[in-house]
Amino acid sequence: MSKFQCFLYIVILVLLLNSAQTLCHTKGIKLKRKHHHKQSNVTGTHVSEQPFMQWVKFVGSLNHSVFRTAKNKLFPSRTITVDKNPKYGDFTKIQDAIDSLPFINLVRVVIKVHAGVYTEKVNIPPLKAFITIEGAGADKTIVQWGDTAQTPGARGQPLGTYGSATFAVNSPYFIAKHITFKNTAPIPAPGAIGKQAVAFRISADTATFVGCRFLGAQDTLYDHFGRHYYKDCYIEGSVDFIFGNALSLFEDGVLWTVQMHGARSKLCRQGFMVKGTYR
């Protein structure tokens, strides 16, 4: 590999990682205090408002990542098929299809997953951006695994909530359509420790989910960080089943809470923006 290619890869890496993070630029920043000498013609209210107005001007001058224009690529340049029968697909596992992509992916790739239950743990690394996972229908294409926070990892240490995800996305511009992500871990008893079981984790900016199902119990959907859009999605769980620091919009879908012994009831949780009809 030439020095120029190495330099090019480093530049692309920096750009991708920078676009993947959505942070609050005001956290931990202390404004400089100005000492004001109260004059006879200045009211106490005016003086008290000055620090607030200073903060408003400061925040308004920031180039916050929330307002960045997403440089998405919607038109596929390549399509890959996954089928449990090798006669009908390029791969039999979703992870194998992802691993076949370049280390740094900069074009839209559609991975069509045919009907079936795929029992595997899937991870998309940070530099494989612009991936679309498209199922044959949320009731027909299911990706499932059963890790919990206390499941031992490769080094014998517990995976933790972050590592328990059945399907984890760490790259920007991800799209999922008409597919189910499921964690098969059973519903934990009240007060149980280490039973967090994530079905899907999204740790990247600008992701879209259309007609998807997220099934689990405790901590089903880990909406970690970034800007995300959920349209016509079904999300099911028992405790804290939607959590994270992302800025997300949920439109026209179903939130459903499950309890021990199979009891079910509808739930609309607060903490994110809901538009349209969420039942």
Side-chain angles (χ1 to χ4, degrees):
M1 182 181 295
S2 66
K3 292 183 178 179
F4 175 76
Q5 288 177 320
C6 290
F7 174 75
L8 181 60
Y9 283 152
I10 292 173
V11 171
I12 294 174
L13 172 62
V14 171
L15 291 175
L16 277 176
L17 291 178
N18 183 54
S19 65
Q21 294 183 343
T22 302
L23 302 175
C24 179
H25 295 278
T26 60
K27 184 177 181 181
I29 297 177
K30 295 182 179 180
L31 298 175
K32 295 181 179 179
R33 294 185 177 181
K34 296 182 178 180
H35 298 283
H36 299 276
H37 298 285
K38 188 173 179 180
Q39 299 177 359
S40 58
N41 61 340
V42 179
T43 65
T45 301
H46 180 74
V47 172
S48 64
E49 287 180 350
Q50 287 180 348
F52 172 73
M53 294 307 300
Q54 183 186 359
W55 176 83
V56 169
K57 292 179 180 179
F58 172 76
V59 173
S61 66
L62 292 176
N63 183 21
H64 200 287
S65 56
V66 167
F67 306 109
R68 291 177 185 167
T69 301
K71 299 178 181 179
N72 210 338
K73 299 179 181 180
L74 299 178
F75 299 100
S77 61
R78 181 183 176 188
T79 300
I80 301 174
T81 57
V82 177
D83 195 293
K84 296 183 70 66
N85 188 332
K87 294 181 180 180
Y88 302 110
D90 300 313
F91 299 93
T92 58
K93 293 184 178 181
I94 300 172
Q95 188 65 60
D96 290 342
I98 293 170
D99 293 343
S100 71
L101 300 180
F103 179 73
I104 299 177
N105 184 68
L106 297 176
V107 296
R108 173 62 60 184
V109 176
V110 176
I111 300 177
K112 292 191 174 182
V113 186
H114 295 168
V117 178
Y118 297 82
T119 305
E120 59 175 305
K121 194 176 177 77
V122 180
N123 181 75
I124 299 180
L127 299 185
K128 294 189 178 183
F130 305 107
I131 292 178
T132 297
I133 299 291
E134 183 175 350
D139 58 336
K140 297 178 180 179
T141 303
I142 301 171
V143 187
Q144 65 178 24
W145 198 253
D147 281 343
T148 66
Q150 66 181 7
T151 301
R155 299 181 179 180
Q157 298 295 323
L159 290 173
T161 303
Y162 182 90
S164 69
T166 295
F167 202 111
V169 177
N170 304 285
S171 60
Y173 305 111
F174 175 80
I175 299 174
K177 297 180 178 179
H178 316 305
I179 190 170
T180 291
F181 305 101
K182 183 178 182 180
N183 192 307
T184 59
I187 300 174
I193 303 300
K195 299 301 182 180
Q196 297 89 340
V198 177
F200 190 94
R201 173 174 58 80
I202 173 67
S203 303
D205 195 22
T206 54
T208 302
F209 305 88
V210 178
C212 295
R213 292 195 305 171
F214 304 87
L215 308 181
Q218 184 173 352
D219 294 1
T220 302
L221 175 58
Y222 193 172
D223 206 32
H224 191 192
F225 67 82
R227 295 167 293 177
H228 311 143
Y229 175 59
Y230 298 82
K231 171 69 173 177
D232 296 325
C233 290
Y234 177 96
I235 307 168
E236 178 181 287
S238 60
V239 179
D240 298 333
F241 61 91
I242 302 176
F243 70 108
N245 298 315
L247 178 64
S248 299
L249 173 63
F250 296 75
E251 184 174 8
D252 298 333
V254 176
L255 305 181
W256 202 276
T257 179
V258 295
Q259 303 170 7
M260 294 190 69
H261 312 299
R264 294 168 179 249
S265 61
K266 293 181 180 180
L267 172 69
C268 184
R269 296 180 57 107
Q270 296 179 347
F272 48 80
M273 183 179 291
V274 177
K275 179 182 178 183
T277 303
Y278 242 88
R279 305 183 300 277

